[in-house]
C-alpha cells in the first residue's frame, strides 16, 4: 500500500484532501492523472451497462435527498454502525473492530456498550435553520433511481425486465475511515437497479453476479485475487433477500469491491402510493406520503405488481485502488536499476500516448510532434500529450510509471521521411513506423 500511496501522490493520481490545512480524514482528491483513470473506469462501466445493452437507461439525479425518501428507504432508522467508546483513551470504533472486547488502540476493556451511530450526513436546505428544514447527502445513489422509476418508464419505451443506471457521489460518515481510498466519507458509486418480475429475481441475481465478476476480470483484475462471497443471512442489509459480494484481495486484505443485492420489492414498495393495492413484501416501510404509484401492469392479466430489483453496486474508488494494485509492478532492468510500471489496460490508462520531440528547443521537432499529438487526439480515444521535457530516458520512465501504453518519439529522421519511433510500455521494444500506419497501429491498442 505504501508504494501505491507514494506513487499516487508523486505522479498526481490522488492527494489527501484539505492537505494544506492538515488534511481532513476520510477524504481524498483526484489529481490530473487520477481524474483520467477514474473517468476511464466509469466510462468502461457505462459502456458495458448501457451502450452494450438495450435494456438499461441512464440517470443523473440530485445528491441532496429529502427526508421522506430516506425515511421510507429505511435509512433513517437502520443505516447505522454500532459505535463503541473507550473510556481510557477516548478512541471510538465500530464494535466489529474488536474481536476480544478490548480497545483496538490501547487494549483497555473499559468500553461503553455499542450504540447505533447513523452514517448519513445531514444539512439544512434553504435560509431558515430551525432544525426542521433538513435533507441528507445521499448514502447511496440508488434511492433517486427508485423515486424516478415512473418518470423513466413513462419517458422511454422500456418494459420489464429493464434497468436504470447511475454513477455519482455518495456520502457516509464512516466511524473509522482508512486504508487509503478504500473506506472514505465521500466516494462514488456505479449502481444499476435492474427491475424484474417477482419470481424471476433469483435467476437474474445469478446472472448479474456472473456478469459483474467477469467484468472486473476484463478490466485487468487477476482471477486469483477476486472471489464471490454469499453474505450470511444475519449480515444482510435491511432491504436485501440475498447478497453476493465480489471480494478483492486489497493490499490490506480481502474486502468488498462490489455488492450484488436482491432488494426484492422493498424500495419501490416502500415509496409507492396506495400500497394496499399491491401484494408487496411484509417488510416494506408503510404509510408513505408518496404521490406516485411505482408499479407495472401486466398487460395480459391486467394486474398491477411491484417489480423486484437486482442491484449491482460498485465503488469507483475501491475499483481504482484494486486496478492500481493489479497494475503496479517493479522490474529489474540491469544492475541496481529498477523501473516501476503501471500495467493498466490501455482503455484505463490516464494518458493513451505521449509524443516526445527528441530536442525540446528544436522548433521543427516540436511542431512535428504537436501535429502528431493533435491528429491522435482527434481519434477521441482519450488523452494524448506532448511530452516536451527534453530527456527521452526520463520521459520513458515517467510514462512507464503512469501506465502510458506507448511513447512516440519524433527525431531528425522524422523531419526527413516522417517516420517515427514507437516504444512499447510493457516490452520496452522500439520500432520505426511509417506515418500512414500510425493511426491504425494506435487504434489497435484499444481493440
Ligand atoms: P462495507 O461493508 O465495506 O462498509 P457496504 O456493504 O456498506 O461496504 P454497500 O452499501 O454495498 O457497501 O455499497 C456498495 C459499494 O459502495 C461497496 O461495494 C463499495 O465498493 C462502495 N463503498 C461503500 N462504502 C464505501 C466507503 N466508505 N468508501 C468507499 N467505497 C465505499
Amino acid at each position: 500500500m505504501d508504494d501505491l500511496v507514494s506513487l499516487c501522490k508523486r505522479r498526481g493520481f490522488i492527494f489527501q484532501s484539505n492537505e494544506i490545512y492538515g488534511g481532513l480524514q476520510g477524504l481524498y482528491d483526484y489529481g490530473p492523472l487520477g481524474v483520467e483513470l477514474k473517468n476511464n473506469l466509469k466510462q468502461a462501466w457505462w459502456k458495458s451497462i448501457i451502450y452494450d445493452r438495450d435494456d438499461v437507461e441512464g440517470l443523473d439525479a440530485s445528491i441532496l435527498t429529502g427526508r421522506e425518501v430516506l425515511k421510507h428507504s429505511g435509512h433513517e432508522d437502520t443505516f447505522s454502525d454500532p459505535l463503541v467508546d473507550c473510556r481510557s483513551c477516548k478512541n471510538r470504533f465500530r464494535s466489529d473492530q474488536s474481536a476480544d472486547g478490548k480497545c483496538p488502540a490501547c487494549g483497555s476493556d473499559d468500553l461503553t456498550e455499542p450504540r447505533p451511530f447513523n452514517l448519513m450526513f445531514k444539512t439544512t436546505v434553504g435560509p431558515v435553520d430551525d432544525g426542521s428544514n433538513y435533507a441528507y447527502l445521499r448514502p447511496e445513489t440508488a434511492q433517486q433511481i427508485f423515486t424516478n422509476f415512473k418518470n423513466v418508464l413513462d419517458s422511454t419505451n422500456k418494459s420489464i425486465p429493464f434497468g436504470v443506471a447511475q454513477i455519482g457521489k455518495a456520502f457516509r460518515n464512516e466511524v473509522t475511515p482508512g486504508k487509503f481510498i478504500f473506506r472514505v466519507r465521500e466516494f462514488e458509486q456505479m449502481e444499476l437497479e435492474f427491475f424484474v418480475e417477482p419470481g424471476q429475481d433469483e435467476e437474474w441475481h445469478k446472472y448479474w453476479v456472473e456478469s459483474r465478476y467477469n467484468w472486473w476480470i476484463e478490466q485487468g483484475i487477476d482471477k486469483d485475487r477476486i472471489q464471490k462471497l454469499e453474505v450470511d443471512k444475519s449480515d444482510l442489509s435491511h432491504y436485501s433477500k440475498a447478497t453476493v459480494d465480489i471480494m478483492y484481495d486489497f493490499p490490506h486484505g480481502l474486502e468488498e469491491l462490489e455488492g450484488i443485492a436482491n432488494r426484492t420489492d422493498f424500495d419501490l414498495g416502500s415509496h409507492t402510493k396506495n400500497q394496499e393495492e399491491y401484494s408487496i413484501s411484509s417488510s416494506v416501510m408503510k404509510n408513505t406520503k408518496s404521490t406516485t404509484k411505482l408499479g407495472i401492469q401486466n398487460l395480459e392479466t391486467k394486474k398491477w405488481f411491484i417489480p423486484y430489483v437486482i442491484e449491482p453496486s460498485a465503488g469507483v474508488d475501491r475499483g481504482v485502488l484494486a486496478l492500481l494494485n493489479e497494475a503496479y509492478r517493479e522490474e529489474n532492468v540491469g544492475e541496481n536499476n529498477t523501473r516501476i510500471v503501471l500495467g493498466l489496460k490501455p482503455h484505463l490508462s490516464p494518458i493513451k500516448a505521449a509524443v516526445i520531440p527528441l530536442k525540446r528547443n528544436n522548433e521543427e521537432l516540436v511542431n512535428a510532434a504537436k501535429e502528431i499529438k493533435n491528429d491522435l487526439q482527434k481519434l477521441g480515444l482519450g488523452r494524448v500529450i506532448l511530452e516536451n521535457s527534453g530527456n527521452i530516458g526520463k520521459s520513458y520512465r515517467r510514462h512507464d510509471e503512469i501506465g502510458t501504453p506507448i511513447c512516440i518519439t519524433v527525431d531528425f529522421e522524422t523531419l526527413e521521411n516522417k517516420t517515427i519511433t514507437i516504444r512499447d510500455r510493457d516490452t520496452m521494444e522500439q520500432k520505426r513506423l511509417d506515418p500512414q500506419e500510425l493511426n491504425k497501429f494506435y487504434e489497435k491498442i484499444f481493440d
Side-chain angles (χ1 to χ4, degrees):
M1 186 74 108
D2 290 346
D3 291 337
L4 276 185
V5 175
S6 135
L7 172 82
C8 284
K9 165 126 190 176
R10 191 170 68 248
R11 292 302 190 189
F13 281 91
I14 299 166
F15 311 122
Q16 170 73 58
S17 192
N18 297 263
E19 192 179 15
I20 63 167
Y21 287 103
L24 205 51
Q25 227 203 343
L27 297 174
Y28 285 90
D29 299 334
Y30 285 77
L33 296 181
V35 66
E36 297 292 341
L37 170 57
K38 204 177 178 201
N39 283 343
N40 292 341
L41 176 63
K42 291 192 282 185
Q43 251 172 40
W45 184 88
W46 197 257
K47 178 177 174 297
S48 90
I49 295 290
I50 298 186
Y51 298 169
D52 292 349
R53 311 176 58 95
D54 285 314
D55 53 2
V56 179
E57 297 290 336
L59 185 77
D60 184 14
S62 66
I63 287 173
L64 285 177
T65 306
R67 196 186 154 199
E68 284 294 334
V69 173
L70 290 160
K71 186 171 134 200
H72 284 92
S73 68
H75 286 83
E76 247 196 3
D77 292 334
T78 57
F79 196 62
S80 55
D81 273 349
L83 181 74
V84 175
D85 286 277
C86 170
R87 292 195 186 90
S88 292
C89 73
K90 310 292 176 223
N91 179 34
R92 284 192 161 165
F93 55 94
R94 273 200 339 246
S95 63
D96 62 350
Q97 290 176 315
S98 154
D100 54 2
K102 294 201 166 113
C103 170
C106 72
S108 162
D109 54 11
D110 190 8
L111 308 176
T112 61
E113 283 300 309
R115 62 181 190 287
F117 171 73
N118 196 296
L119 301 181
M120 290 196 296
F121 285 97
K122 233 183 206 179
T123 188
T124 304
V125 175
V128 183
D129 186 4
D130 64 1
S132 64
N133 301 330
Y134 62 88
Y136 294 103
L137 301 186
R138 64 186 180 199
E140 58 176 16
T141 70
Q143 287 309 316
Q144 302 288 35
I145 295 184
F146 300 127
T147 59
N148 277 295
F149 175 76
K150 190 165 183 314
N151 285 335
V152 176
L153 204 60
D154 289 352
S155 57
T156 61
N157 59 356
K158 289 285 166 288
S159 59
I160 210 159
F162 80 101
V164 182
Q166 180 169 216
I167 300 178
K169 291 261 178 166
F171 301 82
R172 297 183 187 177
N173 197 4
E174 297 280 357
V175 177
T176 41
K179 315 283 183 318
F180 195 30
I181 51 171
F182 177 82
R183 187 175 301 285
V184 282
R185 292 186 167 130
E186 176 178 339
F187 55 98
E188 270 189 281
Q189 291 182 314
M190 308 184 280
E191 292 197 306
L192 165 67
E193 305 302 324
F194 197 79
F195 302 102
V196 302
E197 252 183 69
Q200 292 183 0
D201 51 309
E202 291 179 12
E203 272 307 300
W204 277 108
H205 190 214
K206 278 193 205 131
Y207 165 87
W208 279 110
V209 169
E210 287 315 307
S211 165
R212 297 301 307 144
Y213 172 84
N214 290 332
W215 184 81
W216 281 112
I217 291 167
E218 281 162 30
Q219 304 316 302
I221 303 276
D222 192 300
K223 273 198 180 89
D224 290 341
R225 279 187 290 276
I226 189 168
Q227 52 180 273
K228 298 166 235 165
L229 179 94
E230 178 91 45
V231 175
D232 198 80
K233 289 262 177 274
S234 61
D235 290 334
L236 288 176
S237 304
H238 61 279
Y239 49 71
S240 174
K241 165 177 160 184
T243 297
V244 174
D245 284 344
I246 296 181
M247 308 291 283
Y248 174 72
D249 198 1
F250 286 97
H252 63 276
L254 191 68
E255 294 231 44
E256 177 182 334
L257 171 63
E258 168 162 357
I260 299 117
N262 181 345
R263 291 180 81 129
T264 70
D265 56 1
F266 178 85
D267 300 274
L268 289 184
S270 297
H271 292 307
T272 205
K273 180 187 169 189
N274 297 351
Q275 292 165 322
E276 58 289 346
E277 289 176 12
Y278 300 90
S279 69
I280 46 181
S281 304
S282 55
S283 58
V284 303
M285 308 291 279
K286 297 287 165 13
N287 306 321
T288 175
K289 290 182 194 151
S290 160
T291 56
T292 308
K293 283 185 181 187
L294 303 179
I296 286 190
Q297 192 176 26
N298 181 316
L299 294 179
E300 278 165 24
T301 63
K302 304 283 176 231
K303 272 191 137 179
W304 284 79
F305 68 95
I306 304 271
Y308 270 37
V309 66
I310 307 302
E311 177 195 68
S313 171
V316 178
D317 310 77
R318 288 188 190 178
V320 167
L321 182 58
L323 290 165
L324 284 173
N325 186 49
E326 284 295 316
Y328 183 93
R329 63 176 194 264
E330 286 174 18
E331 279 178 10
N332 250 334
V333 281
E335 227 168 280
N336 298 331
N337 203 355
T338 50
R339 70 164 189 148
I340 295 174
V341 187
L342 216 47
L344 290 165
K345 292 246 177 167
H347 71 284
L348 295 171
S349 292
I351 308 291
K352 307 302 180 191
V355 190
I356 313 173
L358 186 66
K359 288 218 164 3
R360 66 185 301 187
N361 296 326
N362 184 306
E363 210 176 313
E364 267 188 292
L365 287 177
V366 174
N367 285 341
K370 268 188 193 158
E371 211 176 296
I372 294 172
K373 178 237 140 103
N374 290 340
D375 283 349
L376 290 182
Q377 192 63 66
K378 279 191 203 128
L379 296 175
L381 292 165
R383 188 166 182 205
V384 180
I385 63 164
L386 179 79
E387 180 67 71
N388 197 11
S389 62
N391 183 326
I392 293 277
K394 272 197 178 154
S395 297
Y396 285 164
R397 283 299 154 84
R398 171 179 144 74
H399 284 281
D400 287 345
E401 207 171 310
I402 65 174
T404 308
I406 53 164
C407 289
I408 301 166
T409 306
V410 174
D411 56 19
F412 292 103
E413 216 180 311
T414 316
L415 300 181
E416 279 168 26
N417 60 14
K418 293 208 176 280
T419 61
I420 42 189
T421 302
I422 307 274
R423 180 203 181 254
D424 182 277
R425 173 194 70 196
D426 296 321
T427 61
M428 293 191 281
E429 270 171 23
Q430 301 189 20
K431 65 172 172 188
R432 231 159 158 109
L433 218 63
D434 284 331
Q436 62 272 25
E437 290 174 87
L438 179 59
N439 284 9
K440 229 187 193 163
F441 177 88
Y442 176 65
E443 283 173 328
K444 208 158 184 295
I445 295 174
F446 302 95
D447 274 356

